[in-house]
Amino acid sequence: VGPHERVLKSLASLPHDLLGTASQGAAENGADQELVRAVMVVDNIQRPRWFRMLERLKGRVVRRGTYGIMQADSPHPLSDEESIRKAIPARFAGVTVTTLEGDIDRSALKAFANTYNPSSNSEQLLLAAYVVVRRTRSSPGLPSSGAESVDP
């Protein structure tokens, strides 16, 4: 399964209330809503809901860690909603990954991906997720097979 399919599956599995929390947080903090949502999609792939539940259980014993869908650092366990509210002002406010013309600035997106989560595949997944989220927002009825290519 390629990045595009993984992204579509992850996006479809995200609860609408989490997407709403992300949109509201992005608007309140001057953050790129599509970037916030794209990171949520990638983090949902890398740390699915069942894994985040185990992290919260671990937090009862070893408190400090990263928690929630946005991998927010905290001295205590966070819910997905709390991690979104904490991560957006700290890590997304003022970040721009598009050109003045509105195109994806791949070098800026790559730099953000490597700063946010320097794992080996996060850059490719983030690009795929950002493309899908942007396409979905501009064409809500777009079938999943109609998304643009995400080859680097």
Side-chain angles (χ1 to χ4, degrees):
V1 177
H4 179 76
E5 292 79 16
R6 293 172 69 198
V7 162
L8 289 171
K9 184 177 178 181
S10 176
L11 180 60
S13 75
L14 288 174
H16 291 293
D17 61 328
L18 286 184
L19 293 170
T21 300
S23 295
Q24 181 181 1
E28 290 171 356
N29 291 282
D32 178 339
Q33 179 177 325
E34 284 89 10
L35 180 60
V36 172
R37 285 179 171 213
V39 169
M40 285 177 57
V41 167
V42 172
D43 285 350
N44 191 46
I45 291 168
Q46 294 177 334
R47 293 167 84 165
R49 185 177 304 168
W50 66 266
F51 188 87
R52 297 190 305 271
M53 288 175 54
L54 289 177
E55 284 178 330
R56 284 191 297 277
L57 289 174
K58 179 241 11 151
R60 293 180 180 178
V61 178
V62 179
R63 311 274 294 157
R64 180 144 216 89
T66 57
Y67 295 99
I69 196 161
M70 301 299 281
Q71 301 181 23
D73 185 50
S74 176
H76 55 83
L78 299 174
S79 69
D80 284 343
E81 292 84 0
E82 291 168 325
S83 76
I84 292 167
R85 288 188 194 101
K86 183 171 183 174
I88 291 173
R91 302 183 81 180
F92 292 88
V95 174
T96 303
V97 295
T98 56
T99 65
L100 293 176
E101 294 79 25
D103 298 322
I104 297 172
D105 181 339
R106 289 176 184 250
S107 63
L109 191 61
K110 177 180 179 178
F112 177 83
N114 289 326
T115 300
Y116 192 88
N117 183 0
S119 73
S120 61
N121 68 343
S122 67
E123 179 187 327
Q124 183 181 13
L125 279 174
L126 185 57
L127 175 60
Y130 194 67
V131 168
V132 167
V133 168
R134 283 174 53 117
R135 174 69 66 97
T136 302
R137 299 250 324 135
S138 63
S139 304
L142 183 72
S144 61
S145 61
E148 64 187 89
S149 172
V150 294
D151 294 332

